[in-house]
Amino acid sequence: MLCSFAVSLCISKLELHKDTEQYAKINEAIKNVGYKLKSDVIQYSIVKYETGHFIYKHNHIPDAPSYLTCVIQMSDGDDYEGGDLLYWIDGEKNVVDRNIGFGIIMSPDIDHEVTLITNGTRYSFVLFLELFKIEPLFNKAMI
């Protein structure tokens, strides 16, 4: 049976606290795209994709208040078949590296999908950062 979204197991509302090494690593990654965390606690999910699961092509524009989406690969790419994380920039399709620890931070307008898992199991770390949890490092106004 195919499902239109991938969540067979989603352990939601797990938390990272400001005083942890993992929080610091996420904050450093977010700084690389021009933001910093301003919340003392961030919530994340571990998503399990199994054979037959996929996520259709979509973006998060209608899903406000999500502003940045962070997805990090937690499975070895050889542990499953299919299940590529695809995203589009200016109409060009791109594939996120399948090695453990690789990932992407996306703005809400980026179309993305996870292709059909044809064999095996894929795990990913997913973090949605709302505007009230981040702040820009630079003033967006240009003179």
Side-chain angles (χ1 to χ4, degrees):
M1 179 178 129
L2 298 179
C3 60
S4 62
F5 57 93
V7 183
S8 67
L9 172 66
C10 179
I11 306 168
S12 59
K13 298 193 179 184
L14 297 170
E15 296 181 341
L16 289 175
H17 294 267
K18 191 173 188 172
D19 59 348
T20 64
E21 180 182 346
Q22 294 84 1
Y23 181 101
K25 287 181 179 181
I26 294 294
N27 200 28
E28 281 304 308
I30 299 300
K31 285 180 181 177
N32 287 331
V33 295
Y35 294 88
K36 68 177 181 176
L37 295 172
K38 65 179 184 181
S39 175
D40 289 343
V41 177
I42 53 175
Q43 294 180 339
Y44 67 95
S45 298
I46 304 298
V47 180
K48 179 181 180 183
Y49 304 77
E50 295 181 305
T51 301
H53 293 159
F54 66 97
I55 296 181
Y56 59 93
K57 185 178 178 181
H58 68 288
N59 60 50
H60 295 173
I61 292 173
D63 297 335
S66 179
Y67 191 70
L68 294 177
T69 302
C70 175
V71 180
I72 300 172
Q73 177 73 8
M74 294 181 64
S75 299
D76 187 291
D78 294 333
D79 290 346
Y80 58 93
E81 296 171 11
D84 287 326
L85 174 55
L86 308 177
Y87 64 99
W88 285 259
I89 302 290
D90 295 328
E92 183 178 332
K93 180 171 69 172
N94 300 276
V95 182
V96 174
D97 192 305
R98 292 169 59 111
N99 289 313
I100 294 172
F102 280 80
I104 185 169
I105 298 172
M106 299 178 278
S107 60
D109 60 327
I110 301 296
D111 288 331
H112 58 285
E113 73 176 277
V114 175
T115 63
L116 179 70
I117 300 281
T118 57
N119 188 37
T121 303
R122 175 188 191 271
Y123 290 92
S124 62
F125 168 97
V126 179
L127 171 66
F128 297 105
L129 291 170
E130 296 87 359
L131 279 174
F132 66 90
K133 293 182 181 176
I134 58 175
E135 64 182 72
L137 291 174
F138 310 102
N139 185 344
K140 292 185 179 181
M142 299 297 287
I143 297 177

